[in-house]
Structures are given as C-alpha cells and as structure tokens.
Amino acid sequence: MRKYVIMGVQGSGKGTQSQLLAADLDLVHISVGDIFRWNVQNHTKMGAQVRRVMAAGELVGDDLVESVVRSRLTEHDWNFGFIIDGFPRNRPQTEFFLESYDIDAVIVLDLPDSEVRRRVLNRRVCPTCGINYNLIDSSPKVAGQCDSCGMQLVTREDDTEEALAVRLRTYHDKTDPVLELFRRKEYVITVDARPAPEAVQAEIRARLGLPPAKDSADAEEARSA
Ligand code: AMP
C-alpha cells in the first residue's frame, strides 16, 4: 500500500505525474481540483458553490474541501494506495489530513514562477479525459483535439493572467508553509519539474525507491537485447 501527496505550483505537472504513477502502480489518483471541475461542468449544487471562487483563482473553503477528501477516501477503492493532488493547500487542511491518514511521501514538483506563466497560459485540457496538453511542447496531434478521445480541448476557466496571479500568490502564502510542516516529518522529496515529463517521472521513481516505469523498463530491455 502506497500513499502519496503531490504538490507544486500551478502548471508544475502534478496531474500528469500523478496519472503516470497511478497508472503504473494501480494507485487511485485523487485530484480535488478535478472533483470540483466535474461538479462545475455537471452543474451540481457543489459546482454552483465553488465556480466563482475557482474562476477567481481563490481557495475553496476548508470545510467543503475536507468533506470532499474524506468522502473520496472513505470510498476505499484504493487497494494499492492513492496519490492525492492539490491537497492539502494550507495549514488547517494539513492538520486535518495528518490527523486522519498516514502518508509515505510528499512529492514536491519544483518550478520557477517564470516558467509557470509560460506553461499555464498555454495549457489546454480535454474536458472528458482530463488529459493536459501544452501548446508549446506537448501539443495534440490534431490541433484543438484530444489525442485519446478526439474531444475539443478547452482552456481552464482559471488559466488566465488575473487568476494565475492570485493562484501563485495564494500558493506562496498558504501552501509553502504546508511544505514546512511536512518537511519536519521528513516525508518530502523535491524534484525539478523543468525536464520532460518522462524524465521527471523517472526522477520521482528513483527518489521514492520505485522500479522504473514499465514502459521505460521495456524500452531498456529492447535496447539491450
Ligand atoms: P487545481 O486543479 O489543483 O489547480 O485546483 C483548481 C481550483 O480548485 C483551485 O484554484 C481552488 O479554487 C480549488 N481547489 C482545489 N484544491 C483545493 C484545496 N485543497 N483547497 C482549496 N481549494 C482547492
């Protein structure tokens, strides 16, 4: 059973890295932002509650966030473990989390703010499968369409200059101190998020003492055969 938290500024690749790790290790990927976005898209009561806060780049209230996380984790479909992305984001959420769950490691994706702007403002997302693209270095094969399902890609409502400025400020004010709390417990590994996704994934695995990704192990075997 493996239980990880992944943290990092906007656009640092938390979603992509979580999905890679989760797919290979059979972990459940829990993204609080995705849960909220699903609710907004599907016009639920919760969606109506969080939509404006999200679009402005602000944090949703702790009570709602904690109840979403608690109910997601009590579903207990995570036989091999989970990787939680986008939570905790401030001190109260961290205290709640540490009281209720043990974790094995916190993966921090490190990216300078100057690179964040470039990535986030060029990000496009598939509304159906949640795959992220970047118009600069990971554009879809057909412009504007998801490689996996062909759906029209969209820009996240909070990937604007204004919302990004708020999100970055909030990250440094509220989320940086969370890292200090985790560091005291010696859970934290920090990985440079600037290289290509596969290289970042390989580094995460090496730092966590995990075997290389199945795909890269296969490629290695083929090369040495
Ligand atoms: P993300 O996809 O992680 O960037 O999350 C998108 C938005 O969802 C954030 O800007 C917040 O408005 C909200 N959100 C996601 N996770 C949290 C959290 N742990 N605490 C408060 N708000 C959150």
Side-chain angles (χ1 to χ4, degrees):
M1 171 81 71
R2 297 182 169 109
K3 289 178 267 171
Y4 301 126
V5 168
I6 190 162
M7 297 180 61
V9 279
Q10 289 68 31
S12 58
K14 297 185 293 288
T16 304
Q17 295 302 328
S18 305
Q19 279 160 8
L20 289 171
L21 208 58
D24 203 45
L25 299 173
D26 269 334
L27 307 180
V28 173
H29 171 212
I30 301 170
S31 159
V32 177
D34 282 352
I35 294 173
F36 286 146
R37 272 186 289 280
W38 185 91
N39 278 276
V40 170
Q41 253 169 31
N42 291 281
H43 305 284
T44 68
K45 217 165 135 191
M46 188 197 291
Q49 249 177 301
V50 300
R51 179 169 187 179
R52 269 197 299 150
V53 176
M54 284 178 79
E58 287 157 11
L59 291 184
V60 171
D62 292 337
D63 288 349
L64 182 56
V65 171
E66 285 168 18
S67 81
V68 163
V69 171
R70 193 183 297 111
S71 71
R72 183 64 190 84
L73 286 173
T74 44
E75 280 174 25
H76 218 301
D77 54 349
W78 38 279
N79 295 333
F80 297 99
F82 60 77
I83 178 157
I84 186 158
D85 143 13
F87 176 90
R89 264 181 144 102
N90 60 18
R91 196 175 272 271
Q93 291 179 12
T94 312
E95 282 158 4
F96 155 81
F97 193 53
L98 287 173
E99 273 163 26
S100 318
Y101 305 95
D102 292 326
I103 43 173
D104 297 305
V106 178
I107 304 158
V108 179
L109 298 177
D110 191 32
L111 193 71
D113 286 358
S114 52
E115 176 67 8
V116 169
R117 257 189 100 254
R118 189 184 78 89
R119 288 195 180 187
V120 168
L121 300 178
N122 289 292
R123 172 158 61 186
R124 299 292 180 273
V125 188
C126 173
T128 314
C129 27
I131 298 176
N132 283 316
Y133 296 86
N134 185 291
L135 299 186
I136 299 170
D137 39 31
S138 61
S139 44
K141 292 192 185 92
V142 177
Q145 277 182 27
C146 178
D147 290 349
S148 170
C149 69
M151 193 76 180
Q152 196 70 29
L153 302 179
V154 297
T155 304
R156 275 172 52 162
E157 215 178 347
D158 55 352
D159 281 351
T160 60
E161 292 264 12
E162 300 72 33
L164 180 59
V166 177
R167 289 157 76 202
L168 271 176
R169 200 168 50 239
T170 307
Y171 188 89
H172 293 305
D173 289 351
K174 307 234 166 96
T175 312
D176 279 346
V178 168
L179 283 178
E180 287 317 308
L181 286 178
F182 282 135
R183 277 203 181 99
R184 267 185 240 158
K185 299 194 172 264
E186 299 181 10
Y187 291 142
V188 180
I189 61 152
T190 302
V191 173
D192 182 358
R194 285 170 302 177
E198 302 72 30
V200 175
Q201 179 71 190
E203 177 67 10
I204 291 174
R205 284 160 179 273
R207 300 285 302 283
L208 292 174
L210 296 169
K214 281 178 197 134
D215 284 352
S216 65
D218 290 349
E220 192 58 40
E221 224 168 80
R223 262 197 302 277
S224 57

